[in-house]
Amino acid sequence: LANDVDLSVVARGTIGFSGAQLQNLLNIAAIEATKQREKKVGNKHMDFAKDRIIMGSERKSAIISPENKLSTAYHEGGHTIAAMYTPGAMPLHKVTVMPRGHALGVTVQLPEIDQVSVSKSEYLAMIDVCMGGRAAEELVYGIDKVTSGCTSDLQRATKVATAMVSEYGMSDKVGMISYDNDDKDKMSASLRQTIDSEVQEINAESNKRVMNLLREHRKELDRLANALVEYETLDKNEIERAVKGLPIKRDVFSK
């Protein structure tokens, strides 16, 4: 391994990986290093392998119009700005507008340590980060131009909010109850309605918070979107430079 490989960072990004998946990660990284005619496996090769396993292969042949690329950059930028400035949000690792699988872009966050429990504020931060992409689209392009790319974000936000309300006792209106999936058929119609109402309120309040946050940091959002259009993938340090309007130091061949 090269000196720039930090195994603690690799471990944070591979939580839940099986032994076979870790072996596959090292094999993919070694093959990528060989393709680049390098003698040691470096951090960029480990990142390449991890991203390929988690997000799928890059779709470099995908034809994306400049308008759609900029829209994706704002969407992912919204997630990123929300993650940067929301207390309790998981630390950023990287953001990309390179298409992978069915996704046109991805914002990656990594925990600093293994999490054995999650607080209410941390769950709300998760929802805020989910809402960041849609909020950015609405802020920049208007409500009528919000895209279907927000679907998976809304699904995740709804899943988290539903668990908070129906399983974790984090709703004053629903109270200290916990229903798993097997118990939900036993709920009364009024209780299900109350849970749905609470979930909608949690998501709506999150959207308001994130819209206000993005308005406050609009210049940073614009800078980040423009940097994503130019460089396609930014790591944590590059994100921090981009939002400050500082030049990104990168070899011309690594764009």
Side-chain angles (χ1 to χ4, degrees), residues 101-170:
H102 296 295
L104 293 178
V106 182
T107 301
V108 183
Q109 297 168 270
L110 297 179
E112 293 181 334
I113 57 175
D114 289 346
Q115 287 186 294
V116 294
S117 62
V118 182
S119 68
K120 181 177 180 178
S121 63
E122 288 171 331
Y123 279 125
L124 291 174
M126 289 181 194
I127 296 173
D128 285 6
V129 174
C130 287
M131 290 295 182
R134 184 191 183 283
E137 289 187 20
E138 181 178 344
L139 177 64
V140 175
Y141 298 105
I143 187 67
D144 293 334
K145 298 292 185 179
V146 172
T147 70
S148 59
C150 306
T151 302
S152 60
D153 299 327
L154 290 175
Q155 288 173 340
R156 187 182 178 206
T158 300
K159 183 176 180 180
V160 173
T162 301
M164 290 174 64
V165 173
S166 63
E167 296 179 37
Y168 306 147
M170 295 179 177

Side-chain angles (χ1 to χ4, degrees), residues 20-167:
Q21 286 176 312
L22 291 172
Q23 184 178 25
N24 189 33
L25 181 144
L26 292 173
N27 288 337
I28 293 173
I31 291 170
E32 183 64 16
T34 301
K35 285 180 179 179
Q36 296 181 8
R37 297 182 178 181
E38 298 194 24
K39 295 181 179 179
K40 293 184 178 181
V41 174
N43 186 59
K44 62 181 180 180
H45 307 125
M46 299 292 280
D47 264 354
F48 173 87
K50 174 169 55 58
D51 291 346
R52 182 171 174 180
I53 292 171
I54 294 175
M55 298 183 290
S57 299
E58 294 180 346
R59 292 193 288 123
K60 293 184 177 180
S61 60
I63 300 174
I64 307 297
S65 69
E67 294 80 9
N68 285 337
K69 188 173 185 179
L70 181 60
S71 175
T72 301
Y74 271 111
H75 181 102
E76 298 305 328
H79 289 308
T80 303
I81 295 295
M84 289 181 71
Y85 293 107
T86 300
M90 199 177 296
L92 282 164
H93 174 59
K94 70 167 53 176
V95 58
T96 182
V97 293
M98 172 64 73
R100 289 177 176 272
H102 296 295
L104 293 178
V106 182
T107 301
V108 183
Q109 297 168 270
L110 297 179
E112 293 181 334
I113 57 175
D114 289 346
Q115 287 186 294
V116 294
S117 62
V118 182
S119 68
K120 181 177 180 178
S121 63
E122 288 171 331
Y123 279 125
L124 291 174
M126 289 181 194
I127 296 173
D128 285 6
V129 174
C130 287
M131 290 295 182
R134 184 191 183 283
E137 289 187 20
E138 181 178 344
L139 177 64
V140 175
Y141 298 105
I143 187 67
D144 293 334
K145 298 292 185 179
V146 172
T147 70
S148 59
C150 306
T151 302
S152 60
D153 299 327
L154 290 175
Q155 288 173 340
R156 187 182 178 206
T158 300
K159 183 176 180 180
V160 173
T162 301
M164 290 174 64
V165 173
S166 63
E167 296 179 37

